Amino acid sequence: MRKVFISYRRDDAAGFPHLVLDRLAEHQPKEGIFIDVLGIEPGSDFVQKLQHAVGECDVLIAFIGKRWSGDAGRSRLAETGDWVRVEIATALRRGIKVIPVLLDGAQLPRAQELPEDVRGLVNCNAVDVRNSRLDADVRDLVGVVVKALGGKWPPDEPGGPVYAVLSIGYAL
């Protein structure tokens, strides 16, 4: 099973990651989608769980809000133990697809503003998710992820050609 890792800051991304998780789970087995609050049981070693999950994912979705890199004068990404930095650096080092998701007008930092191990993020084509186009943007993002995992997008709709062929087969 191909796997997705959802990377985000709780105080920056609000409910976007959970919405994408729910929509993505309509097209991908939920066991193949890692998000910290559901993938790490109380009492578990979260460091080990995060490292394992990033180590086996095929796609990492990096939600980036307006406070993602830090607040005025303080770069969270400069801290070597920052989990978002560790997650993205690990994915980039492994050469897996990293999809930056820019939330409500957020922008990717410039390369010189990022630590060297995550600078490759600026070369990854980003997807915008805006409150004003939430349904359409989330659907587009899910499509990008499904295709990156080797799936078909858009999915066949009930009544479409595949369903017509199947119904003929059942009728016979």
Side-chain angles (χ1 to χ4, degrees):
M1 172 190 326
R2 309 236 21 223
K3 298 188 177 187
V4 177
F5 186 99
I6 297 176
S7 175
Y8 68 104
R9 294 195 188 284
R10 291 181 188 179
D11 62 346
D12 187 47
F16 289 108
H18 294 278
L19 174 62
V20 170
L21 168 72
D22 290 343
R23 298 280 177 82
L24 191 54
E26 296 171 6
H27 306 280
Q28 163 83 3
K30 208 164 192 172
E31 307 81 56
I33 308 168
F34 181 89
I35 189 168
D36 62 347
V37 294
L38 299 177
I40 304 176
E41 304 82 23
S44 295
D45 182 334
F46 74 90
V47 172
Q48 185 180 35
K49 289 282 191 175
L50 285 173
Q51 289 173 335
H52 178 74
V54 174
E56 66 177 15
C57 73
D58 300 290
V59 173
L60 183 136
I61 304 171
F63 286 91
I64 299 172
K66 293 179 181 174
R67 295 183 319 267
W68 179 78
S69 59
D71 293 326
R74 180 181 150 256
S75 175
R76 297 167 82 170
L77 294 169
E79 300 170 18
T80 57
D82 176 61
W83 280 108
V84 167
R85 175 181 173 177
V86 170
E87 293 162 2
I88 292 170
T90 301
L92 290 170
R93 188 172 47 256
R94 287 189 53 231
I96 69 160
K97 183 176 285 272
V98 175
I99 303 171
V101 178
L102 305 176
L103 302 173
D104 265 339
Q107 295 184 6
L108 276 174
R110 295 185 311 254
Q112 62 268 26
E113 296 171 338
L114 294 172
E116 189 173 330
D117 58 350
V118 293
R119 282 190 186 143
L121 183 65
V122 300
N123 298 324
C124 299
N125 197 19
V127 174
D128 289 308
V129 173
R130 300 152 292 198
N131 275 318
S132 62
R133 291 185 31 91
L134 191 58
D135 284 338
D137 287 349
V138 169
R139 180 172 168 79
D140 291 345
L141 173 58
V142 168
V144 166
V145 174
V146 167
K147 288 194 307 189
L149 293 172
K152 180 182 181 306
W153 193 263
D156 292 321
E157 297 291 330
V162 169
Y163 290 91
V165 170
L166 290 174
S167 64
I168 290 169
Y170 288 123
L172 298 176

